Structures are given as structure tokens and as C-alpha cells.
Amino acid sequence: DAGVTQSPTHLIKTRGQQVTLRCSPISGHKSVSWYQQVLGQGPQFIFQYYEKEERGRGNFPDRFSARQFPNYSSELNVNALLLGDSALYLCASSLRGQGNYGYTFGSGTRLTVV
Amino acid sequence: EDQVTQSPEALRLQEGESSSLNCSYTVSGLRGLFWYRQDPGKGPEFLFTLYSAGEEKEKERLKATLTKKESFLHITAPKPEDSATYLCAVQVRPRNRDDKIIFGKGTRLHILP
């Protein structure tokens, strides 16, 4: 069984550019959430989607947006990139919320903004 | 403001030396507390969910407990392969708002052979 897959694995962008990160959840999982993890810190919650609807949002500016598609895959978009957006972006999936089985995380997309 | 604090930030133990990691939280509308393990270059790996004070969960050398203000992750007779960063997270639902998940900064555990 494939786990949570994220693409690309690494990305280098210039300040001011826009980026789209992609996530495919485990088959059958309907909930997807996104996190930003800066080196040495815990993941910070960005968005949660369940059944294609936004169910939670963290304290991130409107430059961050996301969506979930009918096949439950998801995209995270970040506009007008800043140097401070450099981080590991993690996607996690679950059947519905965390529950007794928690989230299954992908290995992340390492974004570097120069 | 909702907060999750983990201590210590880093811990070095000899193989077989038992210890505990702490996760204290100040949140409203707690829906669950979760422990994850994260290895370098990888995403977090789910360990436990705890829902109510007094609850305990065990898995191999790990045991998680929960009180109204904090959770402990007890590691008994650790082995070098238990070296990792251990993350605590809480799921909250503030009044009239959607769920949000708050992670602590983690405890970096290093087990020396």
C-alpha cells in the first residue's frame, strides 16, 4: 500500500514567486491536512480538509491557500514567497480527523526561497 | 492563547536508562492529545492518541499517560533505535471555530549504546 505521497520532494524558488505543492493521501483517506515545519521546530498547522471542504485553518496569511479534489488529493499554494517561507511542508492524511490512528504523514516537500 | 510546551528540549540517555518526556498544554476545547516520533528527513510517525485524564497507552518500550494539564511519554530500557525527536500535539476546537492542531517543539532524544 502506498503511503502519503508528496511532490516535489525539493524545490527552490525566488522571492515573490508562487509555488504549488501536491499531496496524494492513502487510498480511502478522506481528510488531508498541511503543516509547515521550520528546522528545529514542531510542525505548524496550516489547513485541514475533509470531504473537499476546509475544516480548519491555522494562523497563516492569505498568501497561503489550499484545496482538495474529488479524488481527495490536495494542493497547497503559496503566493508572493518570502524568505521566511523556507521550510519543510508536510501533508498528512487520515480517514477522518486524527482519531485513534492519528495522521499518516508524507516525507514532505523541502522549499527553499532565495 | 493555546499553547503546547515540551520538555526537555533534548535528552541524552545511556542504553537501558529509563526516563520520561513531558508535554504540558494550556488549551480550550481539547479533543485529543497525540504523540508522534520523527526521524531526520522524514515526516512524523503516529504513536498514541489520548482522550481523557487518567488514560494510558503502551507500545513496546513506550507508555503515554495523560492528566488534565500534561502528558508524559515514559521510555523504559531504551535502545539506540529509539533515538528520534518525539512530538506532542493537541487537537482543539475553540468555541464556534473549526478544529486546529497544535504541535510542541519536540524533544530530541539520543540513546547512547
Side-chain angles (χ1 to χ4, degrees):
Chain A
D1 244 359
V4 176
T5 56
Q6 293 187 243
S7 63
T9 54
H10 295 82
L11 200 53
I12 299 175
K13 289 286 191 177
T14 304
R15 273 183 303 174
Q17 285 188 315
Q18 175 264 341
V19 68
T20 298
L21 310 182
R22 295 177 175 82
C23 172
S24 293
I26 288 176
S27 178
H29 283 192
K30 298 182 178 181
S31 176
V32 169
S33 53
W34 288 94
Y35 299 81
Q36 180 195 68
Q37 188 173 26
V38 174
L39 197 63
Q41 303 290 314
Q44 273 203 293
F45 174 61
I46 310 175
F47 287 109
Q48 182 179 19
Y49 278 79
Y50 175 70
E51 285 285 14
K52 293 152 282 182
E53 289 187 6
E54 182 183 303
R55 294 300 182 94
R57 174 186 285 252
N59 297 327
F60 280 80
D62 292 343
R63 299 185 296 109
F64 289 77
S65 63
R67 55 181 175 168
Q68 187 177 31
F69 297 100
N71 66 353
Y72 302 107
S73 67
S74 178
E75 285 183 352
L76 175 70
N77 294 285
V78 187
N79 293 322
L81 285 166
L82 303 173
L83 295 179
D85 295 331
S86 296
L88 179 68
Y89 287 85
L90 294 163
C91 172
S93 77
S94 68
L95 284 170
R96 177 174 184 170
Q98 293 207 60
N100 285 319
Y101 303 101
Y103 287 126
T104 302
F105 281 83
S107 293
T109 293
R110 172 72 60 187
L111 172 65
T112 303
V113 182
V114 298
Chain B
E1 184 184 344
D2 296 329
Q3 267 194 326
V4 176
T5 304
Q6 290 189 247
S7 62
E9 289 186 10
L11 183 62
R12 294 166 69 91
L13 299 172
Q14 289 294 137
E15 183 173 0
E17 181 184 0
S18 302
S19 189
S20 297
L21 313 182
N22 178 262
C23 171
S24 63
Y25 59 93
T26 308
V27 301
S28 56
L30 179 73
R31 288 169 55 78
L33 184 141
F34 307 87
W35 283 97
Y36 287 84
R37 167 193 171 128
Q38 187 173 26
D39 293 299
K42 295 188 176 181
E45 175 188 345
F46 172 74
L47 294 173
F48 301 111
T49 305
L50 300 166
Y51 289 109
S52 55
E55 192 174 356
E56 298 183 354
K57 294 272 180 74
E58 280 189 71
K59 179 181 178 181
E60 295 180 357
R61 295 177 293 282
L62 300 176
K63 178 179 171 181
T65 62
L66 181 66
T67 72
K68 288 186 177 179
K69 294 292 184 185
E70 59 190 349
S71 176
F72 291 93
L73 184 66
H74 307 279
I75 302 176
T76 302
K79 299 181 177 181
E81 54 262 41
D82 294 323
S83 297
T85 295
Y86 290 84
L87 296 163
C88 169
V90 297
Q91 185 161 347
V92 299
R93 179 174 286 182
R95 182 180 292 185
N96 298 326
R97 295 187 179 180
D98 293 322
D99 278 9
K100 64 176 181 176
I101 298 91
I102 306 167
F103 275 85
K105 293 182 178 180
T107 293
R108 295 188 309 279
L109 178 64
H110 186 55
I111 308 299
L112 301 166

